[in-house]
């Protein structure tokens, strides 16, 4: 397996990537952050396939938001340490009608993301509509449709929790996006 060169600093994580710089075989951590439950998924890309490794949810029990954020950080840090993802795909924060909920979601997202930084993975963000479009074929898909398609695409038998399904959908969206980027880079290289 060809290993992705890890960035040497946090500043390098923000630098634009060269076209075609994404290898075909990587481990992806998909995150669907929430202050009560943070969904996670681990998949690997293998050429044109996406292979399921693990998924689940980190359920917080803390009384205060600070305690729940610590639990999210510790849970994601343990996942990153165990699975050592090359790339992290996370849902982009969207503005809802309730500003307090959006702020809590943003804090949960920050706790989850910062827990992965010791491994220095590349980080990619996707809007909820992008994720649904990539997995179901329509940006307005319902949660049940996302769950069903994730199970079918990854050949998962048995029940799949909503948070885990969302995290798997985010990871799959990223896997499809990076494959498309590779095809575009290849086509551009052929044209030149």
């Amino acid at each position: 397996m060809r290993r992705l060169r890890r960035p040497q600093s946090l500043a390098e994580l923000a630098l634009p990537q060269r076209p075609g710089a994404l290898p075909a075989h990587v481990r992806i951590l998909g995150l669907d952050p929430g202050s009560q439950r943070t969904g996670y998924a681990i998949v690997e890309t293998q050429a044109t396939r996406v292979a399921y490794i693990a998924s689940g949810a980190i359920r917080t029990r803390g009384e205060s938001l600070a305690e729940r954020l610590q639990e999210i950080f510790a849970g994601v840090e343990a996942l990153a340490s165990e699975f050592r993802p090359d790339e992290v795909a996370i849902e982009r924060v969207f503005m809802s009608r309730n500003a307090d909920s959006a702020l809590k979601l943003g804090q949960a997202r920050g706790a989850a993301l910062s827990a992965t930084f010791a491994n220095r993975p590349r980080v990619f963000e996707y809007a909820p509509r992008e994720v649904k479009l990539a997995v179901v074929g329509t940006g307005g898909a319902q949660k049940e449709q996302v769950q069903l398609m994730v199970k079918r695409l990854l050949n998962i038998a048995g029940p799949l929790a909503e948070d885990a399904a969302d995290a798997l959908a985010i990871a799959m969206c990223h896997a499809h996006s990076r494959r498309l980027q590779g095809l575009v880079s290849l086509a551009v290289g052929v044209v030149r």
Side-chain angles (χ1 to χ4, degrees):
M1 178 172 111
R2 190 175 100 188
R3 296 299 295 174
L4 177 67
R5 185 187 74 76
R6 301 223 186 259
Q8 299 303 306
S9 68
L10 293 179
E12 192 177 339
L13 287 172
L15 293 175
Q17 304 299 323
R18 295 185 318 266
L22 300 177
H25 191 125
V26 297
R27 186 166 283 183
I28 300 167
L29 169 60
L31 292 171
D32 179 37
S35 64
Q36 299 292 325
R37 288 183 311 273
T38 293
Y40 67 86
I42 309 289
V43 299
E44 273 186 355
T45 62
Q46 301 166 349
T48 60
R49 282 182 3 114
V50 178
Y52 173 83
I53 305 295
S55 65
I58 299 164
R59 298 183 198 296
T60 61
R61 296 176 188 0
E63 296 281 327
S64 70
L65 179 60
E67 290 171 330
R68 292 194 305 268
L69 294 176
Q70 289 172 355
E71 291 175 33
I72 293 167
F73 182 91
V76 174
E77 186 177 46
L79 288 168
S81 177
E82 179 181 352
F83 293 104
R84 303 201 47 79
D86 301 300
E87 297 176 359
V88 174
I90 192 164
E91 193 169 75
R92 187 175 295 138
V93 174
F94 60 94
M95 198 57 189
S96 65
R97 293 179 190 257
N98 186 336
D100 187 53
S101 294
L103 286 171
K104 286 179 182 174
L105 177 61
Q107 291 176 18
R109 187 176 179 277
L113 262 182
S114 61
T116 68
F117 290 161
N119 293 339
R120 302 220 187 277
R122 291 184 182 189
V123 177
F124 300 83
E125 299 176 291
Y126 296 94
R129 290 186 66 81
E130 284 179 282
V131 173
K132 292 174 183 177
L133 183 62
V135 175
V136 181
T138 176
Q142 300 297 314
K143 293 262 187 194
E144 297 79 20
Q145 292 172 299
V146 172
Q147 283 178 300
L148 180 65
M149 284 305 293
V150 164
K151 287 179 68 167
R152 284 192 179 163
L153 291 170
L154 293 173
N155 296 318
I156 297 173
L160 183 62
E162 187 177 294
D163 300 302
D166 289 347
L168 280 165
I170 293 163
M172 291 178 64
C173 174
H174 177 58
H176 296 319
S177 176
R178 61 189 321 286
R179 181 167 183 264
L180 181 60
Q181 181 182 350
L183 291 171
V184 168
S185 295
L186 182 64
V188 169
V190 170
V191 172
R192 288 183 183 171

